Amino acid sequence: MFRSYKIGVGDVTFAGLGLYVRALGQRPLQRLAGIIALLLVLCVGPSTAPAAVQAIDDADAAQRPPVAVPIFFSSNTDDCYSSGIVTAIKRIATLAQNYINRTGGIAGRKLIVSLYDDKGDTQRATANLAEAISDPQTVGMVGMTNATRAKAALDADGKALSASGIPFLSDISVTSLIANYPSVFTTRPSEDEERMPIITAFIKEMKYTKVAFVGLDGNVFSANLGDSVKKFLGDDAVVSDRRLKLTDDKLNPADIAATVEELKAKSPELVFLSVGGKRLKDVFSQLKAAGYTPPLFVTGRAEMLTAKGNGSYPNDIYLMAFDGFPDVYSERLRDLLLTSIHPEYWVFEGAKNDAAPGWKDGTCKVRDDDLPPNPLEDDNIRALQTAMRYADMIRLIAEAARSAPAAANVSDLREFIVNEIGTTYAAGKDVFKGRFGNWSFRPASRAAARAPLIVMLPRGLGHAQLAPFQFLRLRTNTMKRIDTLYADIDLIHADQIDDNNQTFLADFYISMNDRNGASIDQIEFSNAYLDPGSNNREITIQPIHDGGKSDAYPDHMKIYQVTGKFLYSPNLRNYPFDTQRFSIDIQPKHGNAAFIVQPPPTSLRDKSVTVDGWDPKDKYVGYDEDFVRTVDAQTLEPSVVPFYKASFVWLMKRQTTDYVLRVVVPLGFILFIAYLSIFISTHHFEAIVTIQVTALLSAVALYLALPKLDANIETLSDRLFLFTYLVLSVIIAITIARVNRRIEPIGWLKKGLAFLHITLIPVMTAAMAYYVYQASIA
């Protein structure tokens, strides 16, 4: 019997040395080559594989039955290429499953994640939910976005769901649908607790007194929004309420015209428009044709505002954003992409969908597969966000069950998880920090405690941005206004980058629009170096323009020059062929003067920067929502206070000319000289070994002569030297074996060793050179 082993994260499985060698053939030379090659793989593997060798024992699986967590999602059968969101969910859900199983599973049980695609069909969505509920091993459920399909599924299977007590972390956008199901939560914010209070506060701040609503008849989400507008603003404020019917998924032009005439007659100051993103341009065109273009508050995704046909609307358009805002990346997702060993793993491209109608009418275009995949494209980022949200919910279920009794059955686990999510992760008490965001839930609605942001497309600007002010819910359930800081940082010069102390010096300009009273006094440079002697941040600020009238500088723009030392966290896995992240992080200095940063578009930011020893590669702005967690030592009452922080980030690639000349070239000569020595006659054995040992000692001395790098991981430079030691050791070992008295009389073995001497060393060196080259261009 041979135990199988899985090495790293690959798929190579060895079934024992004997079976492997027999599989190579019966010729002596093949057997020798196979043995040596296998030994080399086993020697090199531990130094290059990112994960340790893990034994897989079938006896470990003979425990209690595994538990299941189904994911409900919808693929679009009309897409020209199958949805990248589906690919992302499958891939990232599997990663979450494997992570949970490696870290103890769910209450000691292994987890199996199953995927249910309703393909946009209501009956299929209902059947999927019924099947998942009927599985006695279902310990939790995740997903289901569309409110109309969710309502149908809950109407059909709600009683069974309530009786089962299965924790369901849904993605349902209408929280009233889950009100009667105490085990159902949603990752969307509540209308009554989050969305409508923010909209109401926004309307009061803008001093609008008359509004109108235009929605879809029979659409659950649209109808719920219209009813909520009336509920919160009052019937007197809503001067018009129109619900349009769809025919073949399209609006009737006559209905649109009648709606526009009514709006024009009643002249609301703001119109809520919830007809679906692809239908907005039809309404926009008739509003413009009628000469009546009031400000609009629409529903959908932020990028929809500037979609073709929408950007020419001659007034302000507002929208609520839940998963990010324009020109800013999620810092957690960017960090995931930046630190990944294989960034292409996070590219989610679907296969060609031949059934899509667009191939017949010509709207579908063939994808250029020669273009390198870009994980930062909008569609790919949206797929990554969706899949990460679902993966967070899977991990939240596992985290909630972590302290469950070891002997708990599935029914008890369900009850325990529901109670933990509803109490431990109640809003204001604690949060679950996921890869996508921070998660907690409102006790009353069981909806996510996430304050949506208001995005706007200002008239004439043609580019979406955050509205001038936003709102956050305080622990007292009141809404607090926070201002949007329209700001940019232009890095001029960076130097004295110290990998050991993890610091760098930066000289930059920071400019901000002062219409909301913005000032640098409000800003905390959170990653500025704190001097241990003075306990002060090493920053010098020089005002350039105070925001007043000026012939040289724009009005309402405050400009400062800042010089200081900042911290960064180098990832030295690929040192010295590495790309590092350098950032200037800003956040509110005081809790009572909170703000959120909106930078200018990427195309307008200055990318010119001088950095000694580095080549700038990219610049972006990331954001993250952090929090301050406290516990009252007297009352033992925990609390969480959220706040936003922004990072202006530069990605820079280290220049390697010096390293190549001082390290790579000498190592190449050392290997070359040692390789040449194998062609000396074995009668001069002492000279041969002297050359080879000297080469090995030279490589060791060269490594010791390099500047010390305090890295807690094995760098590419370390791997390069370890490989050199390995190759030189193999050369010496084969040299000794060729003159061994027991091997020398065996002709085939002696020829085999000579063959390995001549061919194996160049092949190994070429493979390593290719590996280093790929790392250098990553």
Side-chain angles (χ1 to χ4, degrees), residues 25 37 67 73 116 144 212 224 266 330 395 434 459 472 489 491 511 515 569 581 615 677 716:
V67 293
F73 63 94
Y116 288 84
M144 191 173 291
N224 181 76
K266 295 186 176 181
S330 165
R395 292 181 60 188
R459 70 183 77 186
L472 287 178
I489 291 180
L491 183 63
S511 56
R515 282 188 171 89
S569 300
R581 173 189 178 277
D615 295 323
S677 69
L716 179 59

Side-chain angles (χ1 to χ4, degrees), residues 260-274:
V260 170
E261 286 301 317
E262 181 176 320
L263 293 176
K264 189 173 182 180
K266 295 186 176 181
S267 299
E269 298 166 309
L270 177 72
V271 175
F272 287 91
L273 192 57
S274 179

Side-chain angles (χ1 to χ4, degrees), residues 733-749:
I734 297 178
T735 299
I736 295 174
R738 289 176 63 184
V739 299
N740 185 275
R741 286 181 295 177
R742 295 185 179 181
I743 295 177
E744 196 170 21
I746 306 175
W748 67 265
L749 187 54

Side-chain angles (χ1 to χ4, degrees), residues 499-500 502 570-573 575 708-715 718-719:
D499 293 318
N500 290 329
Q502 301 184 358
N571 182 353
L572 300 173
R573 183 180 64 243
Y575 172 87
K708 181 174 176 55
L709 189 67
D710 293 333
N712 295 323
I713 60 174
E714 184 184 87
T715 67
D718 295 332
R719 294 195 290 274

Side-chain angles (χ1 to χ4, degrees), residues 37-60:
L38 179 61
L39 291 174
L40 289 174
V41 171
L42 293 176
C43 290
V44 177
S47 66
T48 58
V53 176
Q54 177 186 3
I56 303 175
D57 197 333
D58 293 339
D60 294 340

